[in-house]
Amino acid sequence: MEELPDIVPLSKITGAIYLHAQFNAPWCLTSQVLPEICAPLLGANSYLIPYHYIMEGSVRFRIDDDAQHEVFLRQGDVIMLPHNQLHRMGSDLDLPPVAVRDIIEASPGKRSFSIRHGGQGATARMVCGFLGCADVHSNPLISLLPSYLKLNFNDSGRADWIRSTFEYAADEVDAGRLGTRTMLTKLSELLFSEALRQYAGNYQEGRGWVAALRDPYIARSLAMFHSNVAHPWTVEKLARGVGLSRSAVAGRFVRLIGMAPMRYLAYCRMQVAAGKLAEGRDSLSQIADAVGYGSEAAFSRAFKSAFGSAPARWRQRSASISVENTHPRFAG
C-alpha cells in the first residue's frame, strides 16, 4: 500500500473545506453537494466527493434511499461519499428532514458557508468539505468505491493533528479567511488518501484495482505508469523498476487488473488524452506529446481505435456529451 499516495494526486483530485455547521437536537436534514455551491472554492468540477468530519457530539447518517442501514457517527469520525448521493443526517432520522439549501448561510463574498440549526438539545458540530475532479473516469478507483467510507482517527497518531487542523479550519471558515486554503486542500486530500488506504486494507476480492493496490509490485507498477504516461515504457523496463521478471509482472497485471501492462498503459494514455481534449486548451500535437505518441497521426489512430471517433470529432462532441459517458473500447 506504499504507492497509494503517489497515485491519488495524479488522478487530479483537489479538495477544500467550505462549511462549518452546528446543530442542536432535535434536527434532521438532507444534503447533496452541488457543483455550483463549490465553484467559488474549487472552480469548475463535474464530479464531487463530499465528506463530513464530526468535531463534537454524535450524528446519525444514512444514504437517503437506504432506510435500513443507519450509521452512527461520533467525535473524530469522518464520513465520505464517493458517489455524492443524497444523504440524511440528524439526531433522529425519522424526523421530517430540512434541505441544506434552505438553511445554509453564505459569507458576504460567498466563499464560505455555515449552518446553525435545530432545537435546544445536545450539540453536534461538524466541518464539511469536498474533493473534486473534472470527471470520474480520470480516477478508476472512484467507481469501485462503496456508497460511503467511514473513518476514525482517534486511534491513530494523527488524531490530535487532524482534530486541531479542523478546529482551525472551522475558525477560518467562520471568519471568511482563505489564506490557509492550500493547507486545507491538502487536508482534504489526506483524508481521501487515508480512506482509500483503509478501504483497500479491508478489501477481500481477489482482483480489481483495489486488490492491485494491495500487491506491492503492482502498486509500484501503477505508480510508475501514472507518474509519467508519456514515458516509452516496456514490460522489461517495468519489471526492472519493480524487481520482478517480465513474465511475473505481466502475470500479476493480468490476474489483478484484467489486462496486460501495455494494454493498461494504453488505457491510461487515452483517459488522459480524453480529459485534455475535453478541457479544450491544448492542440492535438501537444496532447499527442503529453501521452507518449511520436506524432499526431499515431495518436489519432490510437484514439480512434479506443473511442471509435477521431480526436477532433470527439472534442466537438464532448462539448455536449459528458466525458463520463465515453469509455475506451479496451477498458475491460
Side-chain angles (χ1 to χ4, degrees):
M1 294 303 296
E2 293 180 359
E3 303 303 329
L4 187 56
D6 294 328
I7 295 172
V8 171
L10 292 164
S11 302
K12 296 184 178 179
I13 288 178
T14 57
I17 295 170
Y18 77 105
L19 187 149
H20 179 208
Q22 178 174 315
F23 303 98
N24 290 88
W27 65 280
C28 182
L29 60 82
T30 56
S31 176
Q32 187 172 34
V33 181
L34 301 177
E36 54 266 29
I37 292 177
C38 302
L41 282 174
L42 205 59
N45 283 273
S46 63
Y47 197 88
L48 297 171
I49 302 173
Y51 67 84
H52 309 285
Y53 173 76
I54 311 304
M55 298 174 61
E56 177 185 345
S58 61
V59 175
R60 298 186 181 278
F61 166 93
R62 74 167 183 244
I63 302 298
D64 208 40
D65 61 358
D66 187 9
Q68 301 301 314
H69 296 91
E70 184 175 304
V71 180
F72 183 76
L73 305 173
R74 59 189 177 89
Q75 181 177 323
D77 284 342
V78 177
I79 192 87
M80 185 173 290
L81 291 90
H83 310 297
N84 194 16
Q85 292 155 287
L86 182 69
H87 54 284
R88 185 176 297 211
M89 304 181 76
S91 60
D92 181 350
L93 300 187
D94 292 327
L95 295 171
V98 175
V100 163
R101 64 176 178 271
D102 294 333
I103 57 176
I104 194 169
E105 298 178 2
S107 66
K110 294 186 177 180
R111 299 184 69 86
S112 64
F113 302 87
S114 62
I115 291 177
R116 298 288 187 275
H117 177 71
Q120 303 296 318
T123 298
R125 288 196 304 132
M126 68 180 74
V127 169
C128 306
F130 56 87
L131 300 112
C133 58
D135 69 278
V136 65
H137 293 288
S138 66
N139 187 338
L141 277 173
I142 294 176
S143 63
L144 301 177
L145 295 175
S147 57
Y148 67 85
L149 298 169
K150 179 185 174 184
L151 311 172
N152 186 280
F153 294 96
N154 285 335
D155 297 326
S156 74
R158 304 186 214 184
D160 290 341
W161 178 81
I162 289 175
R163 183 161 48 249
S164 62
T165 303
F166 269 117
E167 290 279 0
Y168 179 70
D171 291 340
E172 292 294 291
V173 169
D174 281 345
R177 293 189 295 267
L178 297 174
T180 58
R181 184 165 156 188
T182 299
M183 180 192 70
L184 301 183
T185 294
K186 292 300 181 183
L187 179 61
S188 296
E189 294 168 1
L190 169 65
L191 291 178
F192 184 64
S193 179
E194 187 64 25
L196 295 183
R197 280 181 180 277
Q198 291 192 19
Y199 179 63
N202 295 322
Y203 191 73
Q204 299 300 317
E205 296 296 329
R207 60 176 292 173
W209 239 90
V210 180
L213 292 175
R214 300 182 65 183
D215 183 299
Y217 297 103
I218 299 306
R220 176 62 182 160
S221 300
L222 293 172
M224 291 168 65
F225 275 164
H226 283 260
S227 67
N228 189 356
V229 295
H231 185 75
W233 293 106
T234 64
V235 177
E236 184 176 357
K237 288 181 179 179
L238 187 66
R240 190 163 56 246
V242 301
L244 288 177
S245 68
R246 292 176 58 187
S247 59
V249 74
R252 285 177 185 244
F253 240 93
V254 171
R255 178 170 59 84
L256 294 172
I257 302 294
M259 64 181 82
M262 294 301 102
R263 188 175 178 86
Y264 178 79
L265 176 62
Y267 167 69
C268 292
R269 286 173 168 172
M270 291 301 101
Q271 291 289 351
V272 173
K276 289 182 175 295
L277 285 167
E279 290 172 357
R281 292 193 295 266
D282 296 338
S283 67
L284 293 186
S285 62
Q286 288 174 320
I287 295 174
D289 183 65
V291 296
Y293 287 86
S295 70
E296 184 179 325
F299 165 65
S300 295
R301 287 193 298 271
F303 191 89
K304 186 173 183 179
S305 175
F307 285 95
S309 177
R313 183 178 178 84
W314 192 94
R315 172 176 267 171
Q316 292 174 344
R317 289 195 303 118
S318 71
S320 57
I321 300 176
S322 173
V323 176
E324 65 185 84
N325 292 321
T326 60
H327 307 264
R329 293 175 177 173
F330 48 61

